[in-house]
Amino acid sequence: IIIATKKKVGVITENDKNVKVIKQIGKKNNYKVESFEMTKTCLDKIRDGETFDTIVIDEDMDKIDARSFLDKVRKVESFKGKVFVITKKKNIQLKKELKDYGFDAILIEPLNKKEQQKLEESTSNYTSNNVMNEATTPLPTDNQYENWSE
């Protein structure tokens, strides 16, 4: 018997528009979206055993920023989800730094159709039972660098 569970995405941002966009994607793809305005609130839920397939966090959150959150959540033994970061900067070096730091996907704000599709495709690859595929957020090739700006 295979029991399918509804995928769950946590969104940590103070940007109501991002929450709305991600909730629309969740509704379309039949997964639950829970939003948090404070990083600590989400972190506490995870530490208390709440499971999320994916966490999407705004890079510049107050008190606990995205990198600090990633460091802390990776120490929670029960957390098996992926962590995506939303940044406002299209800086290719920053995108590489975030990927190298350990984020599973980098989304550029505003969450336009391309970014929404990237989020939708990435989250569809994960399930709570830890059968996961590698998140793909391809970096531009050398000849695509000129299309990126700071």
Side-chain angles (χ1 to χ4, degrees):
I1 296 175
I2 297 174
I3 300 172
T5 58
K6 195 171 196 175
K7 293 178 187 178
K8 190 169 178 186
V9 175
V11 181
I12 307 169
T13 183
E14 295 169 345
N15 184 323
D16 291 338
K17 188 173 182 180
N18 287 345
V19 172
K20 184 178 177 182
V21 166
I22 294 168
K23 282 187 174 186
Q24 287 173 340
I25 293 170
K27 185 176 181 179
K28 177 180 170 187
N29 292 283
N30 196 31
Y31 54 77
K32 182 179 178 189
V33 175
E34 186 171 348
S35 63
F36 303 91
E37 290 184 4
M38 294 181 58
T39 310
K40 185 177 182 330
T41 308
C42 180
L43 193 56
D44 287 345
K45 279 195 156 198
I46 292 168
R47 286 177 175 151
D48 288 341
E50 186 108 13
T51 59
F52 292 91
D53 297 287
T54 304
I55 299 289
V56 180
I57 183 170
D58 202 329
E59 178 188 19
D60 298 319
M61 292 299 295
D62 289 334
K63 296 185 182 176
I64 303 175
D65 68 3
R67 291 178 196 216
S68 297
F69 173 81
L70 185 65
D71 292 339
K72 292 174 186 301
V73 79
R74 294 288 188 226
K75 291 178 183 174
V76 178
E77 197 171 308
S78 63
F79 182 75
K80 306 294 183 207
K82 298 294 181 181
V83 180
F84 298 173
V85 64
I86 301 172
T87 182
K88 294 177 181 136
K89 303 166 193 101
K90 287 187 176 181
N91 179 317
I92 190 65
Q93 183 60 36
L94 175 65
K95 191 171 180 179
K96 184 178 180 337
E97 283 176 28
L98 292 169
K99 189 74 172 171
D100 290 347
Y101 198 84
F103 289 99
D104 298 291
I106 292 87
L107 304 169
I108 307 297
E109 211 171 27
L111 297 179
N112 60 26
K113 294 283 185 198
K114 179 181 174 186
E115 295 302 306
Q116 290 176 37
Q117 184 177 8
K118 186 190 313 181
L119 176 62
E120 191 171 346
E121 289 171 359
S122 295
T123 54
S124 69
N125 290 332
Y126 309 121
T127 62
S128 294
N129 61 6
N130 204 20
V131 177
M132 299 183 185
N133 296 320
E134 182 66 27
T136 57
T137 305
L139 294 173
T141 59
D142 288 338
N143 61 354
Q144 292 173 318
Y145 280 168
E146 62 214 37
N147 296 331
W148 284 75
S149 61
E150 295 261 284

